[in-house]
Amino acid sequence: MNALTFIIASETPVASTAVATDIQSVVASATYIIAAVLFILALKWLSAPTTARRGNIAGQIGMTAAIIGALLGHHVVRYEWIVAGFVIGALIGAPMAIWMPMTAVPQRTALSHAFGALAAALVGTAHYCLFFQPASLLPHPLTMGFLCLEVLLGSLTFTGSLMAFGKLQDLLPTRPMVYRGQNFINFAILIAAVVVAVVLVFNPQLRWLFPVLLALAAIFGVLLILPIGGADMPTVISLLNSYAGLSACMMGFVLDNRLLIIAGALDGASGLILSIIMCRAMNRSFTNVLFGAFGQVQAGPTAAEKKAVRSGTAEEAAQIMEAAQSVIVIPGYGMAVAQAQHKVRELYDHLTKRGVDVKFAIHPVAGRMPGHMNVLLAEAEIPYDRLVEMDEINGDFPRCDVALVIGANDVVNPAARHDKASPIYGMPILDADRAKTVMAIKRSMNVGFAGIENELYYAENCMMLFGDAKAFVGSVAKELADTAAT
Ligand code: NAP
C-alpha cells in the first residue's frame, strides 16, 4: 500500500493523444479492477486459517497488479524516484520481516502503519504545495477538504503509531501515562486541528496554517497514545491501521485515483472491524480502550492468593496424559513467547499415536494479536481441523480428561464469569476449569496481561507445571517418547 501510494504520487499527467496511450489506459483500468477484486478476496480468505495462505497470495498478486496499473496509467513516471523508493523501502522492510520475531509482529505492524501514514501526509503536503506553482489554480473546497483530512489522519497516525511502536518495544514506559484534565486537553487539540482544517478548506491561500494543521495532528497522535497501556496497543494499532487506510482513501479522492479509494476504504473498514472484534472478545468498549488507562489496575491480594497450589513434574504430566482419552490444549501468550509450538507439535504426535484425542482451543484474543495462536500452530503444521474456536469447544470441556494450558492465563480465568469486581468480568473465556484435570504450564505465579490473579491455578483439579513452555512441553514429549520405547 505504501509502495502504491508512492508510485501514484510520483505520476505526472500528460496530454494523451497516441493510440498506445489508449491501450495503456484500458490495460491500466483492467489491472485496477483485477487488483480491487483480489484485495476483497484476500480479506475474505484471510479470515479463516484454512484459506489464509491463499488470501496472502491473492493480496500480493493484487498489489503487484495495482503497481503495474499505476505504472501503465496515462502518465509519465519518474522511474528514478520509484526505484530509489523501492530500494530504501526494501532495505528497511526486508530485515524487519526476516529478523523481527513473531512475538514482535504488533510493533512491526505499528512501524509499517507509521510509514504508510507518513507517506500519505507527505503526499498531501506535496500536493498542497503544487497549488501554488505558477499557472496553478487554488483547489476546490471539496478537494481541499479531502486533502486536509488526508494530512490530519496521516500525521496523527504517524506519531501515534511511532508511540505505539515505542511502547511495545519497551523504548517508552508501557504503563498508561495519565494526568488531570488529559481527556479535555486531547479533545481541545483535536478540535483545534479540525477548526484549522475547516479554515483551510475555504481559505487555502493561508499557507502558514498548513504546518499548524500538521503539527496539531502530530501532537494529538502522541497525546492519544500516552494514556493507553502497552498491553492495549494491539487494539490501538488496529485502530491506527484504520486511520491510515482512511487517509489513503482521502488521498485517492485528492489524486483522483479509484484504486487508492478502494484499497484505502478496505483498509480503513477492516482495521475498524478488527478493533471492534478485539474489544468484544475482551468485553471492553472503544472508550474504555482509548481512555480507560487499562493496565493500571493493581490487583489487591485475593482469597485465592493465600491458598497453596499443587505442582507437578513432567513425568507426572506425561503419565496423566497417557491415561487420558481426550486432551484439550489451550495455548496462550506464553507459548508464543517461548516459541514452544514445535514442541507442542511433538507432544501432539506422541499423544495421537497413543490414540488420545487432542484438540486445540483457540480464544479470539489469546496472545497479543488476533489469530496469534492460529499462525503459530499452523507454522508447526498442526492440522487445521484440530483447531477449534472458543464457542464450539467450550461444551467439550466437561467431557474432557485433561485441559492442558500452555502459557495462557486471562483467557482461562473463571473470574471473568462471576467476579463483578474483576477488570475482565464479562470477557468470554475458555472453560478449562470444567475439565476433569487441568494442567497449567507457566514459569511462576505471575499475572498475565490483565494484571490479575487467576483462581484456576488454586482449584482442586488443577496441577501447576512450573517452567518455560518450550522446555516443559519438550520434557513431557520426551517422557512420552521414552515410555513408548520401553
Ligand atoms: P496472558 O493472560 O497475558 O498470560 C500469559 C502467561 O504466559 C503469563 O501469565 C506468563 O506467566 C506466561 N508466560 C510468559 N512467558 C512464558 C514462558 N516462556 N513459558 C511459559 N509461560 C510463560 O495471556 P493469554 O491468556 O494468552 O491472554 C491474552 C491477553 O492479552 C488477554 O487478556 C487479552 O485480552 C489480551 N490482548 C490480546 C490481544 C489479541 O489480539 N490477542 C490484543 C490485546 C490484548 P509467567 O510469567 O508466570 O510465566
Side-chain angles (χ1 to χ4, degrees):
M1 185 86 171
N2 299 0
L4 184 64
T5 305
F6 186 67
I7 290 171
I8 291 168
S10 314
E11 296 171 340
T12 316
V14 287
S16 51
T17 48
V19 177
T21 313
D22 283 345
I23 296 167
Q24 274 187 333
S25 152
V26 170
V27 175
S29 302
T31 47
Y32 272 10
I33 293 169
I34 293 168
V37 171
L38 283 170
F39 289 157
I40 294 166
L41 287 174
L43 283 177
K44 163 104 188 83
W45 287 332
L46 279 168
S47 61
T50 38
T51 52
R53 270 180 219 274
R54 203 192 306 160
N56 203 337
I57 293 168
Q60 290 177 33
I61 298 174
M63 191 47 78
T64 311
I67 290 173
I68 293 171
L71 291 173
L72 284 180
H74 282 288
H75 299 96
V76 170
V77 175
R78 302 283 303 271
Y79 282 96
E80 67 273 26
W81 287 109
I82 290 172
V83 170
F86 267 121
V87 170
I88 295 170
L91 284 177
I92 299 172
M96 269 165 60
I98 296 167
W99 285 303
M100 279 180 96
M102 271 295 293
T103 43
V105 167
Q107 49 266 54
R108 203 183 73 195
T109 314
L111 262 193
S112 48
H113 290 166
F115 291 138
L118 177 66
L122 288 179
V123 169
T125 307
H127 205 79
Y128 178 71
C129 294
L130 286 178
F131 295 133
F132 298 99
Q133 284 207 333
S136 290
L137 294 176
L138 280 179
H140 187 276
L142 197 62
T143 308
M144 197 58 201
F146 288 131
L147 198 144
C148 285
L149 266 178
E150 176 193 338
V151 294
L152 193 146
L153 287 168
S155 190
L156 83 84
T157 306
F158 170 58
T159 51
S161 298
L162 282 185
M163 288 287 293
F165 169 77
K167 285 203 173 199
L168 284 168
Q169 196 61 34
D170 280 330
L171 299 173
L172 295 171
T174 54
R175 64 174 200 288
M177 289 180 243
V178 284
Y179 54 87
R180 265 172 82 95
Q182 188 168 34
N183 288 343
F184 174 78
I185 292 174
N186 291 1
F187 194 62
I189 290 176
L190 179 62
I191 292 291
V194 172
V195 169
V196 170
V198 172
V199 174
L200 267 170
V201 166
F202 298 104
N203 306 282
Q205 72 284 3
L206 296 178
R207 282 192 227 187
W208 63 273
L209 269 184
F210 200 81
V212 176
L213 173 64
L214 283 172
L216 283 173
I219 294 168
F220 179 72
V222 173
L223 297 183
L224 179 74
I225 305 301
L226 277 187
I228 304 173
D232 265 348
M233 282 307 139
T235 319
V236 174
I237 286 170
S238 171
L239 200 61
L240 290 169
N241 174 28
S242 172
Y243 294 165
L246 288 177
S247 176
C249 180
M250 295 302 129
M251 177 164 51
F253 284 110
V254 174
L255 301 178
D256 196 17
N257 184 285
R258 267 160 250 172
L259 190 63
L260 265 182
I261 299 174
I262 296 172
L266 286 174
D267 201 10
S270 57
L272 186 67
I273 292 169
L274 188 56
S275 313
I276 293 170
I277 292 173
M278 284 159 92
C279 284
R280 280 209 189 132
M282 293 188 286
N283 194 38
R284 312 260 308 278
S285 65
F286 256 153
T287 33
N288 183 270
V289 169
L290 290 177
F291 309 111
F294 196 77
Q296 267 202 327
V297 185
Q298 300 296 326
T302 61
E305 230 176 333
K306 293 167 197 128
K307 290 191 207 160
V309 295
R310 184 162 63 103
S311 68
T313 61
E315 195 183 348
E316 285 170 286
Q319 282 168 1
I320 294 170
M321 278 191 267
E322 227 174 356
Q325 284 186 335
S326 62
V327 171
I328 298 180
V329 177
I330 301 159
Y333 178 63
M335 184 189 82
V337 180
Q339 287 288 292
Q341 64 273 22
H342 296 288
K343 292 290 171 197
V344 172
R345 166 74 207 231
E346 277 177 36
L347 179 70
Y348 167 82
D349 286 342
H350 285 304
L351 289 172
T352 44
K353 259 185 222 152
R354 285 171 160 76
V356 182
D357 178 49
V358 185
K359 287 183 192 152
F360 292 80
I362 307 296
H363 191 284
V365 290
R368 289 294 181 271
M369 59 181 174
H372 204 168
M373 298 301 119
N374 301 70
V375 172
L376 292 174
L377 296 174
E379 184 196 318
E381 293 184 352
I382 288 174
Y384 291 136
D385 64 353
R386 298 283 92 194
L387 274 53
V388 190
E389 297 297 327
M390 177 173 64
D391 294 337
E392 239 175 282
I393 205 158
N394 263 346
D396 291 358
F397 279 107
R399 292 190 298 275
C400 118
D401 297 310
V402 177
L404 177 64
V405 181
I406 305 179
N409 191 337
D410 297 340
V411 298
V412 288
N413 191 340
R417 284 199 304 254
H418 64 81
D419 183 358
K420 289 191 177 156
S422 170
I424 61 165
Y425 177 68
M427 167 170 142
I429 56 155
L430 288 162
D431 295 334
D433 57 322
R434 293 183 174 153
K436 289 174 193 140
T437 302
V438 182
M439 293 196 266
I441 302 177
K442 69 199 293 288
R443 297 161 307 171
S444 64
M445 290 304 286
N446 280 351
V447 294
F449 160 89
I452 49 167
E453 280 293 323
N454 190 341
E455 62 188 55
L456 172 71
Y457 304 146
Y458 304 92
E460 274 179 19
N461 62 342
C462 181
M463 180 195 270
M464 296 303 294
L465 304 172
F466 289 114
D468 171 75
K470 187 175 179 180
F472 206 103
V473 175
S475 311
V476 178
K478 188 170 175 307
E479 288 290 337
L480 290 170
D482 290 349
T483 49
T486 53

